[in-house]
Amino acid sequence: MDLNPFRFCSGLKFLGYFMIILVFALIAISYDAVIVLTCGPHLLHGGFKSFLSFLVLTLFHLLLFLLVWSYFMVVFRDPGAVPANWRVLPDQNVEQENFVSSSSLAADDNSAMASSSDGIEKRSAPGYCSRCQNGKPPRCHHCSVCERCVLKMDHHCIWVVNCVGARNYKFFLLFVLYTFLETLMDTLVLLPGFINFFQQANHHSSSPGKLAITFLAFVLNLAFALSLLCFVVMHISLLLSNTTSVEVHEKKKGMQWKYDLGWKKNIEQVFGTEKLMWPFPLLSKQDLEKVPALDGLNFPTRSDVNV
């Protein structure tokens, strides 16, 4: 029997709690550098600098509120679990042509388990997970870290100590987007202070503590902004094509993806139909009832929808 290293991934869960501390440490450092040290002193001086500082302060707190709200929602919202004793209905087609290799979808439930490099364990029987001993809905995958099947699994994110799936993917996207905007704004606000860092250090015009905080906050925010830019672009591309990170490796090249309903409907499959709710980490009761994909068990396909 081949050794599957992802059986031990559940032990990495504790690392996520350290990441939560890291997120709030970055927020605290950025708040001190941007609000207390950079913008705060200009608020009472009057003039354009005071007005600009007020705008930065307002935008900073608005983005911070949306960021933290989205973060807690993706951390505490269950991404979606398979109901007990779920089985594929006779008229429900769990198709093999959505996957790259038909050999990985052999009908034998007792065949060897394939493992991917992202910690997702793939059983060979379509529509059934022999590890959970339960049915496996379309677009569902077994996560080795959570040790369960997750509905429309995108990936397991150690930054949120949770899987990203059907029922919290919107919140994850908003968290990534607002974090990128917040770190980008912080970088731009701190850029003049960073440019003057070495001059101030030579002339000792500022305390070493203030200089160190400004320098550290700028470097951290710049690093996060650059890395998150790639992440934002990638997930926007996935959103517009109605694809998860897992499914990128499963789609056949040159074939139309059956879940791609057109970019407008693809967005609605994640964000819902009420556009006024899109910027907020919430899903209306109406959308939860009207958009089956948000529940993670049923997904419309191109054959079901005029595209």
Side-chain angles (χ1 to χ4, degrees), residues 77 139 151-152 166-170 239 242 259 261-275 277-278 282-301 305:
R77 177 62 65 92
R139 314 185 78 179
L151 300 177
K152 196 190 173 186
R167 299 175 187 175
N168 65 356
Y169 185 49
K170 174 188 176 180
L239 173 68
N242 200 358
Y259 297 114
L261 312 177
W263 67 269
K264 289 184 180 179
K265 287 187 173 66
N266 290 341
I267 293 175
E268 290 177 355
Q269 298 300 299
V270 175
F271 282 81
T273 57
E274 297 186 28
K275 294 180 175 59
M277 298 280 286
W278 284 5
L282 294 170
L283 291 167
S284 67
K285 184 179 179 182
Q286 194 173 23
D287 275 335
L288 289 173
E289 294 172 351
K290 205 160 87 173
V291 185
L294 294 175
D295 190 49
L297 290 171
N298 299 291
F299 303 94
T301 62
V305 181

Side-chain angles (χ1 to χ4, degrees), residues 56-69:
V56 169
L57 186 146
T58 303
L59 183 58
F60 180 96
H61 284 92
L62 176 62
L63 289 174
L64 180 61
F65 172 73
L66 292 170
L67 183 163
V68 173
W69 185 10

Side-chain angles (χ1 to χ4, degrees), residues 94 96 101-112 123-130:
V94 181
Q96 294 186 5
S101 173
S102 59
S103 62
S104 66
L105 294 175
D108 182 11
D109 289 354
N110 297 319
S111 59
R123 289 288 176 176
S124 57
Y128 182 77
C129 177
S130 55

Side-chain angles (χ1 to χ4, degrees), residues 186-204:
D186 292 352
T187 301
L188 295 176
V189 171
L190 296 172
L191 180 59
F194 179 77
I195 293 174
N196 296 328
F197 171 78
F198 298 101
Q199 293 179 349
Q200 291 179 354
N202 290 333
H203 295 90
H204 304 286

